[in-house]
Amino acid sequence: MASERDIAFPILSDQDLAALQIRGKLRQVRAGEVLYEEGERNHSFFVVLDGAVEAVEHSRGTPHPLVVHRHGNFSGDIDLFTGRRLLVTGRVIEDGTVLELSTEDLRRAVDQLPELGAIIIKAFIQRRQLILNDGFQGVKLIGSRFSPEAYRLRDFATRNAIPFRWIDLETDQEAEALLRQLDVPASATPILIGRNGEYHSRPSLEDFGACAGLTAALEPEHVYDLVIVGSGPAGLAAAVYAASEGLDVLVADSMAAGGQAGTSMRIENYLGFPAGISGAELTQNALMQAQRFGATVSVPTTVRSLGMDGGDRVLTLTDGTRLRTRCVLIASGVEYRKLNVPHFNQFEGAGIYYAATEMEARLCRGEEVVVFGAGNSAGQAVVYLSGRDRCSHVHLVMRGDDLGKSMSRYLVDRIEGLENVTVHPNTQITGLQGDGHLGVVELEDKEGRRRTIDTSALFLLIGADPKTEWLRNCVELDKKGFVLTGRSLSPEVAGNERWHAAGRSPFLLETSIPGIFAAGDVRSGSTKRVAAAVGEGAITVSFVHAHIGRAV
Ligand SMILES: Cc1cc2nc3c(=O)[nH]c(=O)nc-3n(C[C@H](O)[C@H](O)[C@H](O)COP(=O)(O)OP(=O)(O)OC[C@H]3O[C@@H](n4cnc5c(N)ncnc54)[C@H](O)[C@@H]3O)c2cc1C
């Protein structure tokens, strides 16, 4: 079986090299020449024909050699497609000849030569994994593990696969030395230190995105074919199909590609993955697929409002940037519900979590924790957190009396077989206590019996509300705020002047305004599943073609 390194650094066959040669240009190179450098974006892809190129990274302050590329090896990793800044420098160490392809040439080659394309893409994904496992340090983040602000930044970095080193204010001696060096007090944390030593005190997600080279350059004067708001499964599926079918597509997300699905430890019911797949892996692969086909993805980019200007739809971002587009896909999903108990806000990110991923599990390893909810996401969290080397005990608290009413049978069976799980039916959370960080959860059952659980972690998985505040006074919403589409629109709306002018009725996933579509969890009546969101995202693209075809 091929090792991880074999997959990451394959040797291309003579046939593959010949196929690439007609798509690129030959270049003679001399020892000492730098072909690509850390921090650059949109650089070329190089294949070594003879001579040698060494890949080195400097994230630890000193050069760290990663690999030497020789005949048949090639440079690059996923950032060739994402447009993010490079993590590695490539320097020629033996004179020779390389083949150079621009990012566009490479995209075309991957499309036209699928077998070779698969080798290159697998290598890129594997390289990113190897570099992270090999101690790459990326940007540094200094903060307290009890700080909600620091938690939000760590969550953002983890979900966006930004290599970063966490330096704990309370336990890491380096923290104090670094603060002294920067001449800033501990109260200025969290502090983000970039690759050139520049630092931000209490950075916003936008500062973090810019510092890590994540945010795409947007084109306010440009008219896109399709702007997708939200990069959960619905948005990513639409991006893959739209970009692969030649549409000019931009995806904006305020937090991270993957949406809710990206926070799921294991999705077991998605077609084609008999052993399940982690949400992060599924959605990172989808992100790369969309970018490989040429979709632009911008994170963190929050859309504040949607309106019309002449024939275009106009999206206004929180920084005031206005984007023009012929069609919009609303794929902004839902937001987790919160608890109405005193001091709740104080513990968000400081003991209250909305997902149970490896990061949260690490924060409460060996401890008793509470999961509140009775749906599949609560069930998955319980199974995951109660696993070996994770939490010592998991309390599943639910308002109802029967797990089977709201949770899939396979999860109920698994939970019933777990010794370190206690189910508390007919129970509410009535209070939270703690000093800066959650310490105690107060419970009360239907009979009025009260008890407390000492815990530093409460996982809230009690459903979600639509993220449609940015759509008020624009498209029609149902009573709960979900977006109405197709046949759920009232006959008055579906037959109004707009639709007369368009000369048709709304398509299945079209909102009350022609050319504005909605897919996934945000849509009224949708099935809240990954596969359903993916299906709706994909279907939307055929409606986009139909709308554009009629509108021109
Ligand atoms: C923990 C967990 C586990 C789950 N497990 C499963 C499972 O095993 N199987 C299954 O089928 N389903 C599962 N689900 C449900 C599934 O993940 C959702 O149905 C699916 O993610 C919905 O996709 P979506 O694209 O519609 O929206 P979402 O995934 O909610 O994505 C919406 C995106 O829009 C972005 N956004 C919102 N507002 C704005 C704005 N104004 N500007 C820019 N961006 C914005 C958000 O940041 C988010 O990334 C799980 C959900 C959770 C929370």
Side-chain angles (χ1 to χ4, degrees):
M1 215 169 76
S3 73
E4 288 177 346
R5 269 196 93 77
D6 292 339
I7 296 170
F9 304 109
I11 301 171
L12 298 181
S13 66
D14 289 345
Q15 201 186 345
D16 288 337
L17 293 176
L20 286 175
Q21 244 178 73
I22 52 175
R23 291 169 167 83
K25 59 176 193 289
L26 289 176
R27 183 168 148 186
Q28 303 302 318
V29 290
R30 308 294 302 261
E33 200 174 319
V34 173
L35 295 183
Y36 49 94
E37 197 158 11
E38 280 148 90
E40 284 176 1
R41 288 181 200 255
N42 300 323
H43 63 98
S44 301
F45 169 76
F46 295 98
V47 185
V48 180
L49 298 181
D50 60 82
V53 176
E54 186 179 44
V56 185
E57 63 95 352
H58 297 81
S59 73
R60 284 160 262 210
T62 49
H64 182 73
L66 296 167
V67 66
V68 175
H69 297 301
R70 295 188 179 277
H71 174 78
N73 293 141
F74 52 85
S75 69
D77 87 342
I78 52 175
D79 288 338
L80 271 179
F81 291 129
T82 62
R84 290 196 206 176
R85 288 198 200 109
L86 285 187
L87 301 180
V88 171
T89 296
R91 186 185 301 277
V92 180
I93 54 169
E94 284 173 26
D95 295 358
T97 312
V98 297
L99 185 60
E100 181 172 359
L101 279 83
S102 68
T103 321
E104 266 323 299
D105 294 336
L106 174 64
R107 260 190 236 284
R108 257 192 304 275
V110 166
D111 286 346
Q112 292 165 356
L113 307 164
E115 282 177 26
L116 173 58
I119 295 174
I120 293 173
I121 287 171
K122 279 188 196 154
F124 284 178
I125 293 173
Q126 194 62 50
R127 283 177 190 187
R128 176 54 60 102
Q129 217 44 56
L130 286 180
I131 196 173
L132 293 180
N133 295 345
D134 192 32
F136 184 90
Q137 295 195 348
V139 293
K140 296 188 182 90
L141 184 62
I142 312 174
S144 162
R145 76 178 177 119
F146 301 116
S147 147
E149 256 179 298
Y151 171 80
R152 190 165 152 76
L153 294 166
R154 289 171 78 181
D155 188 34
F156 174 75
T158 309
R159 290 184 57 192
N160 284 293
I162 300 173
F164 76 105
R165 190 151 78 83
W166 167 245
I167 303 171
D168 196 314
L169 200 56
E170 278 84 23
T171 57
D172 206 325
Q173 286 181 350
E174 198 189 341
E176 204 184 317
L178 276 169
L179 291 182
R180 219 175 305 123
Q181 205 177 308
L182 297 174
D183 196 21
V184 286
S187 58
T189 60
I191 286 180
L192 178 70
I193 306 178
R195 54 186 292 279
N196 296 323
E198 76 281 11
Y199 77 91
H200 302 264
S201 166
R202 313 184 76 174
S204 63
L205 296 188
E206 283 73 18
D207 294 334
F208 203 156
C211 184
L214 212 64
T215 325
L218 300 173
E219 300 174 58
E221 298 309 317
H222 183 78
V223 181
Y224 294 92
D225 289 330
L226 175 64
V227 173
I228 301 172
V229 183
S231 64
L236 286 174
V240 167
Y241 284 92
S244 69
E245 291 169 21
L247 293 174
D248 177 11
V249 53
L250 169 76
V251 189
D253 198 293
S254 47
M255 181 64 184
Q260 299 167 71
T263 68
S264 172
M265 273 321 290
R266 191 143 286 271
I267 297 173
E268 305 209 38
N269 55 359
Y270 190 60
L271 190 76
F273 296 92
I277 180 164
S278 86
E281 190 181 349
L282 181 72
T283 53
Q284 283 299 322
N285 284 348
L287 171 66
M288 173 146 172
Q289 204 173 1
Q291 289 174 319
R292 183 209 124 184
F293 283 124
T296 305
V297 181
S298 188
V299 176
T301 299
T302 303
V303 177
R304 195 177 62 199
S305 65
L306 170 60
M308 299 287 293
D309 184 5
D312 296 333
R313 283 107 200 104
V314 177
L315 293 146
T316 306
L317 308 182
T318 40
D319 67 0
T321 305
R322 282 159 59 90
L323 298 173
R324 303 180 83 84
T325 176
R326 301 161 91 182
C327 293
V328 173
L329 173 61
I330 301 166
S332 48
V334 296
E335 185 174 44
Y336 313 116
R337 250 174 233 151
K338 308 192 173 184
L339 279 184
N340 188 12
V341 295
H343 317 303
F344 180 82
N345 295 345
Q346 191 179 319
F347 300 118
E348 269 197 301
I352 292 177
Y353 308 112
Y354 300 96
T357 69
E358 195 186 331
M359 189 182 82
E360 287 83 13
R362 244 186 278 140
L363 292 173
C364 49
R365 178 166 290 153
E367 296 183 28
E368 286 197 26
V369 300
V370 176
V371 172
F372 189 41
N376 280 354
S377 48
Q380 286 176 0
V382 169
V383 172
Y384 177 67
L385 292 168
S386 60
R388 192 146 39 98
D389 291 336
R390 297 205 183 98
C391 303
S392 61
H393 200 94
V394 181
H395 295 271
L396 172 57
V397 178
M398 56 186 277
R399 295 184 186 116
D401 59 349
D402 179 8
L403 264 190
K405 282 186 188 160
S406 47
M407 197 180 282
S408 294
R409 194 67 240 167
Y410 78 96
L411 283 168
V412 178
D413 290 345
R414 242 184 251 177
I415 288 171
E416 283 172 355
L418 293 169
E419 284 179 3
N420 59 343
V421 174
T422 307
V423 180
H424 303 262
N426 298 316
T427 303
Q428 291 278 6
I429 292 180
T430 48
L432 305 170
Q433 302 170 25
D435 184 11
H437 194 276
L438 181 69
V440 175
V441 173
E442 300 169 14
L443 306 180
E444 184 173 335
D445 72 12
K446 226 162 70 178
E447 270 73 49
R449 284 183 297 243
R450 294 178 179 199
R451 67 166 290 184
T452 55
I453 297 175
D454 291 344
T455 181
S456 69
L458 166 62
F459 293 86
L460 270 192
L461 298 158
I462 48 173
D465 296 310
K467 289 275 287 173
T468 47
E469 67 290 346
W470 59 284
L471 292 168
R472 301 268 167 225
N473 308 320
C474 174
V475 296
E476 295 285 317
L477 307 177
D478 71 11
K479 281 193 196 117
K480 291 184 175 163
F482 288 89
V483 182
L484 289 164
T485 53
R487 289 206 203 116
S488 353
L489 291 164
S490 67
E492 297 77 60
V493 171
N496 69 17
E497 273 174 28
R498 266 202 183 107
W499 293 102
H500 277 299
R504 62 178 176 85
S505 354
F507 293 125
L508 186 69
L509 301 177
E510 201 163 23
T511 66
S512 50
I513 302 183
I516 302 183
F517 303 88
D521 282 13
V522 76
R523 198 176 65 76
S524 178
S526 65
T527 303
K528 310 291 186 271
R529 290 279 184 276
V530 175
V534 167
E536 291 190 6
I539 299 169
T540 305
V541 176
S542 59
F543 298 135
V544 169
H545 283 298
H547 175 77
I548 290 178
R550 277 175 179 257
V552 286

